[in-house]
Amino acid sequence: VLKPFNAGRTAVSGLEVEGATAPLGRAGLALEGSYTRLRAEILRGSAATLGKDVPMRPHHRLFARVSATPPSGAGGAHVEVHYVGAQFEDESNARRVPATTVWNAGAWLRAWSRPLVRLELEVKNLLDDRTLQNPVADPLPGRMVLVTVRVESPTKGRIAP
């Protein structure tokens, strides 16, 4: 069982890039994404750990999303992917955690205009990957389906999620 700990002295360097477009064309197609490259190295410790990766710090993370919202505003949809590169559970880098990829998708429809009422459906972990874990090795849920009714006031902003 993984137990969080202090790794002593470490060095972390990296690069993060993100970008997005405004809605384009008749479909209101929009793209957004981000990428992180990280190197987290142990600088102080035993010979078995010196220079190794800091546990649970993947070298690569990627997020990408494609959405469509036509100008009518009557509805919209999106699909997104989250990628987390391989990482290690321990200081000696003996226990490797494989890379993971999670796909999510969703859609919404405008039910009423005044007040603005939207019906939303989102599916997280679309492919139902049951091998995913959080940073302390707890299993993450399989596929989740979320249904939301969102009500917004035309004069005072959002009333309720």
Side-chain angles (χ1 to χ4, degrees), residues 72-151:
S72 69
H78 72 271
V79 64
E80 62 187 35
V81 62
H82 298 260
Y83 170 81
V84 177
Q87 52 198 312
F88 295 96
E89 285 186 358
D90 61 317
E91 288 182 295
S92 62
N93 293 177
R95 292 188 310 270
R96 186 175 187 270
V97 177
T100 60
T101 303
V102 177
W103 290 88
N104 302 325
W108 63 271
L109 293 171
R110 183 179 61 214
W112 291 279
S113 294
R114 291 186 188 252
L116 179 59
V117 177
R118 289 183 3 175
L119 305 175
E120 301 176 1
L121 172 71
E122 183 152 17
V123 181
K124 303 256 187 200
N125 193 359
L126 190 62
L127 302 179
D128 198 25
D129 184 346
R130 305 273 177 126
T131 65
L132 303 174
Q133 311 176 10
N134 70 11
V136 290
D138 293 326
L140 294 176
R143 182 181 304 119
M144 284 192 306
V145 177
L146 307 164
V147 177
T148 306
V149 176
R150 186 174 304 272
V151 180

Side-chain angles (χ1 to χ4, degrees), residues 24-81:
L24 305 167
R26 299 182 81 144
L29 206 60
L31 307 172
E32 62 182 285
S34 63
Y35 171 75
T36 303
R37 167 72 168 105
L38 185 68
R39 172 69 170 125
E41 178 182 6
I42 297 173
L43 298 178
R44 184 184 301 156
S46 69
T49 62
L50 196 59
K52 301 285 185 166
D53 287 347
V54 173
M56 305 312 289
R57 296 290 178 255
H59 287 219
H60 304 278
R61 286 182 178 266
L62 174 76
F63 166 78
R65 179 180 174 122
V66 177
S67 60
T69 305
S72 69
H78 72 271
V79 64
E80 62 187 35
V81 62

